[in-house]
Amino acid sequence: MRKNLFVFSLLLLIAVFASAQNKITVSGTVTDQAGESIIGASVHVDGQNTLGAITDIDGNFQIAGVPSDATLVITYIGMKTQEVAVNGRNSFKIVMQEDSKLIDEVVVVGYGTAKKRDLTGSIVTVGGEDIARKPATNPLASIQGKVAGVQVVNTGRAGQDPEIRIRGTNSINGYTPLYVVDGLFTDNINYLNSADIESMEILKDPSSLAIFGVRGANGVIIITTKRAKEGKTQVNINASVGWKAIYDRVELTNAAQFRELYNEQRIEQGVDPYDYTNWGGDTDWQDEMFRTGFLTNNSISITGSTDKSKFYLGLGYVMEEGSIDTEKLNKFTVNLNSEYEVTDFLRFGFQVNGVRAKYPDAKGVGSALKAAPIAPTHDAESGLLHTMPDFQRAQVWNPLIDTELRGAHNKSENYRLTGNIWGEIDILKNLTFRATFSLDYGSSQSRSYSPLVYVYNPDLEGGPGAERLVDRESINQSKSNSMAAQSDYVLTYTNQFGDHGLTLTAGLTTNYNSSSSLSGGRDQMAGYGIEIGNDVDKWWISSISDSSTASNGGSQWESFTMSYLFRALYNYKNRYLFNASFRRDGSSKFYTTGNTWDNFYSFGAGWVMSEEKFMQNQNVIDYLKLKGSWGLLGSQNAGSNYPAYANIVSSGSAVFGDNIISGLGPDKLISEDLGWEHNYSWEVGFDMNLFNNRLAISPVFYNKSTRDMLATIPGISGTKPGVQNIGEIRNRGFELTASWNDRIGEDWTYGISANLTTIDNKVLSLATKDYAIISGPSRTEEGYPIAYFYGYKVAGVYQNENDIRFSPINTLATVAPGDLKFADINGDGKITTDDRTMIGNPTPDFTYGFNVNVGWKNVYLSVDMMGVYGNEIYRNWDNSTFAQFNYRIERLGRWHGEGTSNWEPILDPSRAINYEDSEYFLEDGSFFRIRNIEVGYNFDTRLLSRIKLQSLRVYANVQNPKTWSRSSGYTPEVGGGSTSFGIDSGGYPMPTVYTLGFNLSF
């Protein structure tokens, strides 16, 4: 036994000694290709992150206790990661190579791809991972604050699309960019699952947009969905669950405060005090309306390949409850694509995206802002919803009617299928032909039931009891179909002639669009016909037999576009760049005026200055490219599917004998030379990387001018309006994108990025100098920003009769103390309509975004922030003279005697002067928001490999945790149309969203 123990101890000692002999001390230097020492490079033993070192000021490192058969891993920001086998050596000289991916990144452009360094414009790429990690049902919502020049207005409503404006509002006829999904032109991407997106390219400059011709004026967003990749079969699972809540509420008066203000108001109006006998409630209607909503987002994808074929299949399911009870979104998605290589020169493939969506029965929140807090929610004895006080009963119903009695009463199903089949052949070594046939088909149907509504009314003449608010129940149905068919035939030639690089693209493309819709409805008196109620199976028009109440409607349109295109990308020594694009578009929309065809083109040039010899003897600037481009873009948007065709409508009548014959005529007069809108655009800027590519800066100045806008001009003295090409709108500004990425020691990494965009919008001309497009408080006219707010400037509140006597005479109304005092803008000593002026601008002075990423070993933290500055919001949700609403909390500071307020007017809705469009209803639209906070953990791949997994990430995310704003509404994000936006009519609150999730691959 002792002998065995001795032998074992001896063997163990020999093993330890041998192990010690196999561990050595290694040292060396790390330099770049120019021989310059790299300071701060990380050198560690593969698989042992704690065994390593950081290079010093001379690029030197030393590590003790390194196994002689180990592998060293060398990393540095902006350089390619290197692995060096030790093989028993003690000394190393490591030369790191620049990571060319930073500057040779391949991006998707129109009808092909290109190296980013060869382009002369502004193209921003957002990776699919950045999009998929955010809890958003529409992928576009996730890019808010991330891209310079792109303003995203999100909404808190489940399933509603965000509003996108690229470099401002370019026309009075629209601002929506073109979306290109796998080559297919479309107007939205709400049918895509975020997890199926590989990348998103945002094109903003003329050199990249001209290839899209008539569709490029408002910018282009190119989405590439995920495709099969070479390698073994791989399965990816993404799942998250979460909840959302409304924390930013509109501050309104409670019951006691309401009684105080309403009593005072009735005194000011000279009427008797209100009898509150039956109105002893203290209801917070916002609390009653809002709920905690739950959501889940799940997807699974399978990809695999053989020597000849590749496939990808992605399935997704999204469920999101709205912040208002009964709102719920359900969406199922599928993404399928396959590629097959017949020979080394012939390839085929197909791609399909499909969705089945049930959108929520959306409800508004306006009634919760207007309802008096003194009304109870229900009658305790009968259980019926309570009616509202008589001073608002006819205009404002109990807000819970929408959720408890009418909630989920609109049943809709939406289907959409998009995809393409393609073939590609290498005609010659450098010449490729590709033909793609794409289809986008959508079908939606809905049916809704409006029930009889009974509420408890304590004021009925016969005594308290049930009151029926509507006498008829109704059913409505609708159905619509849309189709887009597109074909692309593209030749691409790529070659390198010594120092000359050339890529030529030429093609022919066609695009057909059509849409049709039908709708109908019937209603019946209470007690007649079959009982419908909440039986969903009876929510069909045929359930109501009374055809005399039938109503119907419908619409249809179609259009066709054919185009020829050409693009040239040239570089000399990867140093001097030239881009040119040309597109000739023909559209059926202008066939009748003879302007079917038009030409669009662009030119761009760049100089990669960092490739010059005089830039080689410095180590600060790693990459510097000067760039600029000019182009002519187009638009056929006119607010009508047939802008060059008049509608035939009733037009008076004539008497022939004893007969009266109705006349017909065109509703407008079309200009004989009506044609396309034209957008003249240019930009200049540069891209620069410094300090071993740790710092990247890209400033750009842009100028866009839209001319020949299609507009309807009112006729003179009762004549028909005319449609003409008139006016010019200019948008110009400055964009700046900057980022810094670095490492601290072995375990810490961090990155900071920011972007800033200024917007200067101005209408340079319209039909005439005095012509204006007016929509409520919004006005568009020559010399001002588009859709600016027009009204009276407020100089204060009249405090007493002397104040009125010594102020400019108000000719608009007879004013009294407590009324708003308007400024005399033209200085004529009177307040007239001529004193109206620009009081606000809904277009911000600038937008900005920040992102901070910190990593420690396998843990990471990411924070996104964004903001808007310099715009105004017009508050419209509390402006009423026809009914008494609840009061904003600011009305507690109203004028109720001399010196009590110089901003909030008297409580008296009969004083019409206080309801004129004025600065009183304007609010600062600037805000700063923490958009997203995410913390996550990536499991060690060595551990995962033991259980046959490739990767696993778990994370927690908080979206919209905090917003700083001066607006009184639910959110400072207020969208709208082209000639009327930034008007807050109550809107929908922006919830804070909490999610927990994981990403798994095996």
Side-chain angles (χ1 to χ4, degrees), residues 254-256 259 276-284 372-377:
N254 59 30
R259 292 188 187 96
Y276 296 101
T277 302
N278 296 320
W279 307 100
D282 188 6
T283 304
D284 187 327
I374 59 175
T377 60

Side-chain angles (χ1 to χ4, degrees), residues 104-179:
D104 285 346
E105 174 189 359
V106 175
V107 298
V108 180
V109 294
Y111 306 98
T113 60
K115 289 183 178 180
K116 193 169 184 178
R117 72 174 296 159
D118 291 341
L119 300 175
T120 60
S122 299
I123 299 179
V124 178
T125 300
V126 180
E129 184 178 352
D130 289 338
I131 298 170
R133 282 164 54 172
K134 305 299 186 296
T137 56
N138 190 306
L140 293 170
S142 300
I143 67 173
Q144 186 180 42
K146 286 186 169 294
V147 182
V150 180
Q151 184 181 2
V152 180
V153 177
N154 277 319
T155 171
R157 191 186 298 278
Q160 186 168 338
D161 297 338
E163 179 183 292
I164 309 292
R165 299 178 195 241
I166 297 179
R167 290 182 172 176
T169 306
N170 300 307
S171 171
I172 61 176
N173 292 307
Y175 55 82
T176 305
L178 169 67
Y179 301 101

Side-chain angles (χ1 to χ4, degrees), residues 173 213-218 511 513 557 559-562 585-590 596 600 633-644 675-678 710:
N173 292 307
V214 70
R215 302 293 298 272
N218 292 326
N511 191 284
N513 286 271
W557 61 267
S559 65
F560 180 77
T561 303
M562 182 175 179
D585 278 323
S587 172
S588 61
K589 292 191 175 185
F590 300 109
T596 302
F600 306 97
L633 313 174
S635 173
Q636 59 184 358
N637 295 327
S640 168
N641 294 308
Y642 296 100
W676 316 71
E677 291 186 356
H678 296 93
L710 277 71

Side-chain angles (χ1 to χ4, degrees), residues 130 769 832:
D130 289 338
K769 188 172 180 60
T832 67

